[in-house]
Structure formats: C-alpha cells, structure tokens
Amino acid sequence: MKIGFIGCGNMAGAIIDGIIKNEIVDEKDINIFDIFYPAVEKVSQKHGVFVCEGPREVVLNSDAVILAVKPNIITSVLDDINTALEESNTLIISIAAGKTIDFIRNSLSHDNRIIRVMPNINAKVGESISAYTANKSATKEDKELCEKLFGGVGQVMYLEETLFPLFGVIGGCSPAFTYMFIDSLARAGVKNGMTKDTALYVAAQAVLGSAKMVLESGEHPWELVDKVCSPGGTTIEGVSSLQNDGFEKAILNAVNKAVEKDKKL
C-alpha cells in the first residue's frame, strides 16, 4: 500500500511520523510533494520517503493521497491532479479545514472515492481525536484504511459531516482552551510560591490523568468531582469558587462563539 502526501506541513509531518513509528506504512511506500521545498526537505531528511516532482506524480504512484494543504489552495491542487485522478481512481483523503466532500467532488470531473478527515493539533504527540466522513463511492476498505492511518496519531471516529463544524470546535479549538486552563493553574501555582516549570508539569499531568479517568472509569464527570470533594475541604471550596465566577458559562460561551464564527467563514 503506497500513501501519498500533497503538502508536508506540520500536520502532514505528524501523520507521517505516526504511521511510520507505528509501522502502519513503511517509509519507502510514502510519496510526498510540497511546493515549499524546505517542508519536503524536513520530512525527507527524517524519513526515507520518496520525493515526487509534482502532485500528479504523487497521485499516479499512490493508492491513497492525503491532501494536507491549506483551504485557500485546495482548488488549484485539485485542478492539478484532476486528470491523474481520472486515470488512477486513487482514494482522496482531505484534511483541508472547512472544505466539504461536495466541494471536493464538484471540483473534479470524476466520481472519486473521497474521505474527509479533521484531526487536531495533538496529532503531533500521537493524541489527536480525528473525525472522518466519506462519500458513497468510498468502500469499507477505504474507511478501514483511513482509521488505520489516523489511528497512528491518536483516536479516530466516524461522524456525519453535518456535525463537522461542531466537532471542529469541541475537538479542534478545545486544545487551546485546555492549554489556557493548564497555564492558568500554573500561574496560580507561581503566585503561591511554586516555580513555573514545576507548576506546569503538575497541572499538565493532572489534566492528562483527569482526562484518562473520564475516558476509562465509565463514571460521569460530576460523579468524579463529587469523589474529590470532601465535606468542608479545599476542593469543594475551589469548585464553588469556579461556579460562582461563571466557569461553566464561560466554557459554554466560548464554544457557542466559536460555532457562530465557523458559520460565518
């Protein structure tokens, strides 16, 4: 199975790292191209991938091609590879933000197998949550391949495309919210006498462990909150303060604002 990448930016690099590290695809079976040569050089110096001369060559020599390009140039990329896709019927996997399957299909002259995936920034450390959807031409094997590839950088789930804008906020924007929360905890630690490095480590590990508890314990988050809160203790004091200061409302407002912004893009 040969996998091609058109675009070798940070996300493509993370995916390539993940699928090679997890032995999903051998590095010699990966074809890459990017108009920005330093991006190609960065990947090719790290892995023994094959560097193609253009996007058409990637398509003709790959069983599946991941379009890892910015949304503003995907139309020109699709124009470049249109005839090659007619010849090869290569599976298209797009991670271009905001570009629907219908947009991709309408940009092509052939009824290609198309899968759209939305990973998040945590793919860089192998902990992304990625959602994917597919057109009717995509086969069961195509979907299994997608799950296998993106499983190399984290967890993968199928999602109806109508929910992609919301997923983009809860799965894509929320890492930034979480980074802010971790940093705020650490700064509070500094204010109370702890070094920033130590406070960041403690806060980040606490958030990591808490997420693991939610995913693996089978308990509702509020049940876990109750377990940590001793009567008259420090935790319930802090929880009450967060509630009084509108912590939950602030999160809800942030999600709603981001969803509204997505609708305007």
Side-chain angles (χ1 to χ4, degrees):
M1 175 67 67
K2 291 188 178 293
I3 306 299
F5 286 81
I6 298 176
C8 297
N10 289 331
M11 187 59 71
I15 297 167
I16 292 170
D17 287 346
I19 61 180
I20 292 175
K21 178 182 177 181
N22 291 289
E23 300 182 347
I24 297 167
V25 180
D26 192 283
E27 59 184 7
K28 66 178 175 58
D29 292 324
I30 295 175
N31 302 312
I32 67 170
F33 172 78
D34 195 303
I35 195 169
F36 183 60
Y37 188 73
V40 172
E41 194 172 35
K42 183 178 179 181
V43 174
S44 61
Q45 287 180 346
K46 189 174 183 180
H47 303 294
V49 299
F50 183 79
V51 179
C52 297
E53 294 184 2
R56 178 180 170 83
E57 185 181 359
V58 176
V59 171
L60 293 176
N61 290 281
S62 304
D63 298 294
V65 170
I66 295 178
L67 301 180
V69 297
K70 294 185 183 300
N72 62 319
I73 66 167
I74 192 171
T75 299
S76 63
V77 171
L78 291 170
D79 286 342
D80 285 344
I81 64 176
N82 186 38
T83 55
L85 286 169
E86 287 183 345
E87 295 175 32
S88 64
N89 195 30
T90 301
L91 170 65
I92 302 168
I93 301 176
S94 171
I95 62 171
K99 298 304 180 182
T100 66
I101 283 181
D102 281 346
F103 174 89
I104 296 168
R105 172 64 188 89
N106 293 335
S107 300
L108 300 170
S109 57
H110 182 64
D111 188 19
N112 295 89
R113 294 134 57 217
I114 302 171
I115 293 179
R116 180 186 174 194
V117 186
M118 186 177 287
N120 73 17
I121 192 173
N122 294 331
K124 296 184 75 172
V125 292
E127 290 295 346
S128 175
I129 174 65
S130 301
Y132 80 94
T133 192
N135 69 350
K136 292 181 179 179
S137 298
T139 65
K140 178 183 176 183
E141 290 73 23
D142 292 335
K143 295 174 185 177
E144 289 173 350
L145 174 62
C146 176
E147 291 185 7
K148 195 173 180 181
L149 291 173
F150 285 86
V153 291
Q155 301 300 312
V156 189
M157 62 183 293
Y158 180 84
L159 196 66
E160 294 296 331
E161 194 169 25
T162 54
L163 292 174
F164 264 48
L166 181 56
F167 176 86
V169 176
I170 297 177
C173 300
S174 64
F177 307 160
T178 307
Y179 302 152
M180 289 175 66
F181 174 62
I182 290 171
D183 188 67
S184 296
L185 283 175
R187 289 182 185 278
V190 172
K191 183 178 181 182
N192 284 277
M194 189 177 282
T195 66
K196 185 66 180 289
D197 286 349
T198 300
L200 268 176
Y201 176 75
V202 173
Q205 180 59 41
V207 170
L208 177 64
S210 300
K212 194 174 178 68
M213 277 289 287
V214 170
L215 291 172
E216 296 184 6
S217 70
E219 296 182 80
H220 190 281
W222 268 111
E223 289 181 296
L224 296 171
V225 170
D226 289 342
K227 285 187 175 182
V228 186
C229 292
S230 302
T234 55
T235 305
I236 189 62
E237 190 71 22
V239 168
S240 297
S241 178
L242 285 172
Q243 290 181 308
N244 289 337
D245 290 340
F247 178 75
E248 294 143 306
K249 184 177 180 180
I251 298 298
L252 178 62
N253 287 343
V255 171
N256 288 343
K257 287 289 185 181
V259 169
E260 289 173 13
K261 180 65 175 180
D262 181 84
K263 292 176 180 177
K264 296 175 182 178
L265 294 178

